[in-house]
Amino acid sequence: MSNSIWHDKLAKFFPNKFELDDIEHEFDTKVNQGLEPITALMLVTTNYLTDEFETYNVPVGVYQRLFRKHYKESKFDYSHVLAWAKLVNEFGVEPADANWQAIMSDLPDNQLK
C-alpha cells in the first residue's frame, strides 16, 4: 500500500484543527525508519491523543487495542475515539468496548464536539 493511501487514512482520522502536513511527515518518518504503515498509523494517532487520554484516564495500551480491532471502520476517527474515551472515563473500559458499535452508530456526529 502506498503512503498516499495511508495519508488518506490520516486525513480521515484527524479533524481540520490539526496540521495534516505535520502528521503526514511524522507518519512518513516512522515508515522510513522501518515501521509497518499500520504500526506507524497507530503510533501517530496515539501521539496526537495522549493528552486527551490522560484527561480521561485512558491507558494508551487500551486505545491501541481498540485501534487494532476497529481502525478499518468508517467511523474510527478522532471524534469517535474521544467519545469512546469519555465513556471509558465514566463507565470503564469493558462497557465502553462492549458498546463500541452501538455507541458509534447511534451517536450523531454533532454530539462529538
Side-chain angles (χ1 to χ4, degrees):
M1 219 182 263
S2 74
N3 280 0
S4 65
I5 292 170
W6 292 100
H7 287 184
D8 290 345
K9 289 183 180 292
L10 286 166
K12 181 192 143 310
F13 185 87
F14 287 102
N16 293 333
K17 71 177 187 173
F18 290 98
E19 183 58 49
L20 194 55
D21 289 340
D22 293 341
I23 295 168
E24 289 173 351
H25 177 74
E26 183 178 340
F27 171 84
D28 291 341
T29 299
K30 289 183 182 313
V31 171
N32 291 337
Q33 291 171 343
L35 290 178
E36 292 291 324
I38 187 62
T39 302
L41 182 67
M42 181 180 66
L43 292 174
V44 169
T45 60
T46 300
N47 288 346
Y48 281 86
L49 287 161
T50 299
D51 289 342
E52 287 82 358
F53 290 155
E54 288 176 4
T55 298
Y56 296 117
N57 302 308
V58 176
V60 169
V62 171
Y63 164 70
Q64 290 177 343
R65 188 180 70 235
L66 180 85
F67 176 92
R68 287 184 200 100
K69 187 173 181 184
H70 297 290
Y71 79 94
K72 292 182 181 180
E73 296 175 14
S74 63
K75 283 198 170 189
F76 191 86
D77 60 23
Y78 183 87
S79 295
H80 285 85
V81 170
L82 282 186
W84 167 84
K86 291 175 185 177
L87 292 171
V88 169
N89 188 50
E90 189 170 343
F91 300 108
V93 174
E94 290 80 16
D97 283 353
N99 290 298
W100 171 263
Q101 293 299 330
I103 293 164
M104 295 307 115
S105 63
D106 292 341
L107 192 62
D109 290 341
N110 63 358
Q111 288 185 354
L112 299 174
K113 308 270 186 259

